[in-house]
Amino acid sequence: MSQLVLDKLKARFGAAILETHAQHGDDTALVDPAQWRAVGEFLRRDPALDFDMPVDLCGVDYPNRASAGAAGGRMEVVLHLYSVSKKHRVRVKTRVGDEDMDGAELDSLVGIWPGLNWLEREVFDMSGVRFRGHPDLRRILMYPEFEGHPLQRTYPADRTQPLVPYRTDQEAGMPVEKQAPFGLDEGMPFGRKFPHPLAEDN
């Protein structure tokens, strides 16, 4: 159980730990976003805690939640940590951004846990949270010209995205091998070789 973790966080950071709960091993602390990196440093460096394994990082959108005070914020960023040596875990959350996602920024934790590099990029790409100090903050799942962030609940499911031309090798900075078009006997099984059952006979 990780009640020890929650107690140490409250003792170290006081009012910056906005909420905690511990039910059925689900030990969670909600922290002030201004203390996000400091909390991460403490969880990683304190010998009694030794959280050396970041398990996951994600964003959860609550577009109707008021952003009053430090406990507010539309986008909840959730970090799951595990200690291999101590065999305990904790979930740390913070909230950023107003209803228009203004102010949706956090300090990057990549300098503490390098494995969060791609996870922070994913949260930026899909949820729209920017991570200050990230070494390479760019989209990781969507293409660069993609507009919006698909995991925001206000993103229209039927939105049409701009079509972009294939990149040249020079633009991509590496060789880009494009697949040749399928031949007449390749691809979908109902081509010329296997006509659709409702197709008219020629």
Side-chain angles (χ1 to χ4, degrees), residues 20-140:
T20 63
H21 71 257
Q23 297 177 342
H24 310 294
D26 180 23
D27 302 300
T28 303
L30 176 66
V31 308
D32 187 323
Q35 296 296 316
W36 181 248
R37 183 176 174 86
V39 168
E41 288 273 9
F42 180 70
L43 292 171
R44 180 66 185 95
R45 311 301 179 201
D46 187 284
L49 302 180
D50 191 29
F51 282 101
D52 53 353
M53 179 183 290
V55 178
D56 193 19
L57 180 76
C58 63
V60 184
D61 190 13
Y62 297 90
N64 298 321
R65 182 167 54 197
S67 57
R74 167 181 171 171
M75 188 65 65
E76 195 162 86
V77 179
V78 186
L79 173 65
H80 296 261
L81 297 171
Y82 180 71
S83 170
V84 175
S85 63
K86 306 298 181 182
K87 302 191 186 312
H88 56 200
R89 65 184 71 242
V90 71
R91 178 170 62 182
V92 184
K93 305 192 297 186
T94 193
R95 297 169 181 167
V96 293
D98 62 14
E99 61 183 6
D100 298 318
M101 287 295 288
D102 291 334
E105 293 187 344
L106 281 174
D107 289 326
S108 173
L109 300 181
V110 171
I112 305 170
W113 294 285
L116 290 178
N117 189 316
W118 282 16
L119 292 175
E120 287 186 353
R121 285 179 59 187
E122 182 179 354
V123 174
F124 162 67
D125 188 359
M126 305 304 284
S127 299
V129 178
R130 301 194 66 86
F131 291 90
R132 295 183 293 263
H134 189 284
D136 185 23
L137 191 63
R138 56 193 169 95
R139 290 190 181 274
I140 190 171

Side-chain angles (χ1 to χ4, degrees), residues 173-185:
M174 59 184 295
V176 178
E177 298 181 6
K178 302 182 181 66
Q179 296 293 324
F182 286 127
L184 294 178
D185 59 345

